[in-house]
Amino acid sequence: MNNERLIVIPIEGTVIFPKSTTKLAVDKKYGDYLYQLMNDETVSAIALSKRPNSDGDKSDDFYAIGVILELNSIKTTADGYLVKVVAKDKVQVNQMEFTKKYITAISDELYEEIDLDDIGHRAMLEFVTKLIHELGERFPGSDSFLKRIDELRTVDQILGEIAPYINISMNDKQQLMELNSVRKRGMQAIEILRKQKDAIDLQIEMAKRYSNKINKTYREQLLREQMKAIQEELSDDDDDGKVDYRKNIEAAGMPADVKKVALSELRKLEGNSQNNAESNIIRNYLELLLDLPWKAPEVTEVNLDKARTILREQHYGLDEVKTRIIQHLAVMKLKKEKQGSILLLVGPPGTGKTSLGKSIAEALGREYIRISLGGVRDESEIRGHRKTYIGAMPGRIIGGMKNAGTTNPVFILDEIDKLSSSYNGDPASALLEVLDPEQNNSFADHYLNVPYDLSNVFFVATANNVSSIPGPLRDRMEIIEISSYTNKEKLEIGKRHLLPQVLEEHGLTRKELQLTPKAFEAVINQYTRE
């Protein structure tokens, strides 16, 4: 039978072996043809297996070798038909044609290489049957299945019967079916069965050895892992709901050395089971790498006029301070270098140091991030913990960059003069690398364990007393002192900024609450202190 056009019945998730009998679920659109096959011996069909994860709408989605089918019975189901079939000879598909109703193929018959005599085949049949019995004995309730195996008379019939239960990939099953040599196919089947038997024996041995040592919770966890692995193996779409870490790593824009570390961690994750404790550590680490900004933003021109306007509108007085800030921004505009800036605003509480940092961010059109360092005594608050520790987290600097989502935010380090040291290290020393323009292009966080570039960040530190800041740390910042406000300045600040803010917070209008100049003066003289 060569160059004959036949109907193709697509088979999903399994491989049919020649000379085997099985039941197939067939789409209802093949109904007319199925009944024609039952009533007309001159009409034939090919069972052709689809490749895994394919749509089945082109010839490349199918394996090229299938089997001729003979129909024994047809049963109607809700989705189509359940057909009992006998697989005949193998065929090689040369050409396929896809129509709305059918898939047809032109095929040539493949002839088996009979390289076993009756004695050799009988010996192989007995050995295969013996291996299946040895496997079956390890599974209670397999008597009826083993009895059915004993009734079969060829190795191919046995292969067709056990194919759905062999724990190998569909590609391997197809390759086994395509072997033309009867002897090679039988020997390959024996090798597969022996490996299956050895794997099960090892599992049983390990279970017996440790059954008295592991508690009930661990056994339940082990069973859940095995069940999940089986479900994933049987699933039609193994990738549903999974994060494509490799694709995200490629798109993150990481430096080459960081990308190499990320891919190395990904390989470890792929080699572990889903519920492995180390897998959760690696997954959290990869998610941090992917959440961090790596790509340098587009360089935006510093607009000095905009900066002057924002500082004037949002802050009354402080003329000398605002002049120093504008001068600093002017230097940034002129040098156009990669390195960011580091300012230290020093002054009494309530003089607007933190809000000045927010105004700088608005003036530059950058993200604003703030962390408070008051009372920080542990170096790991700055540098993070080793990721192998329980509950490990990155330091506040890397955490802030993650929240910023960009490599050039305005980063406020509040209360830097209130850092203190303890037996857990000196956080002020850890900040030296953060605030040193010569070093912060490769900041080392213990959790991250790869260099991170902070040189684009505009750091603004605040302090009440510069004398409590260690000298080496102080020398890395440009100090701008903010003096106390005069009573006149306090009056204007109260009228322009504080009163509107308080009215808004309490849902009042200027008509509902009015303060006279004398009331303002009384508040300033009696209730404001430095």
Side-chain angles (χ1 to χ4, degrees), residues 248-264:
N248 292 343
I249 290 170
E250 294 292 342
M254 301 175 183
D257 54 342
V258 178
K259 181 178 176 182
K260 182 179 179 181
V261 171
L263 292 175
S264 175

Side-chain angles (χ1 to χ4, degrees), residues 314-318 350-352 483-501 510 520 524:
Q314 298 183 359
H315 300 274
Y316 181 81
L318 303 178
T351 50
S483 60
S484 302
Y485 294 105
T486 64
N487 284 356
K488 180 180 178 182
E489 289 174 333
K490 290 178 181 179
L491 178 62
E492 292 299 325
I493 291 171
K495 289 180 179 179
R496 298 186 184 189
H497 302 289
L498 299 183
L499 180 59
Q501 180 181 341
R510 287 184 178 271
F520 265 114
I524 291 169

Side-chain angles (χ1 to χ4, degrees), residues 52 127 136 138 163 212 223 265 285 336 338 358 373 379:
F127 192 70
R138 288 148 175 81
N212 296 326
L223 289 171
E265 293 294 317
Y285 178 72
K336 297 180 180 179
K338 180 182 178 182
K358 187 178 292 187
L373 300 177
E379 180 187 355

Side-chain angles (χ1 to χ4, degrees), residues 222-238:
L222 182 63
L223 289 171
R224 282 194 295 269
E225 285 186 26
Q226 291 178 344
M227 183 179 295
K228 188 171 183 180
I230 292 171
Q231 289 172 345
E232 289 177 351
E233 184 71 18
L234 297 177
S235 174
D236 290 332
D237 188 359
D238 290 338

Side-chain angles (χ1 to χ4, degrees), residues 131 133-140 142 196-197 200-201 204:
L131 281 174
H133 270 271
E134 290 176 355
L135 279 166
E137 290 170 358
R138 288 148 175 81
F139 298 95
S142 60
Q196 301 276 303
K197 176 177 174 294
I200 292 173
D201 287 345
I204 293 173

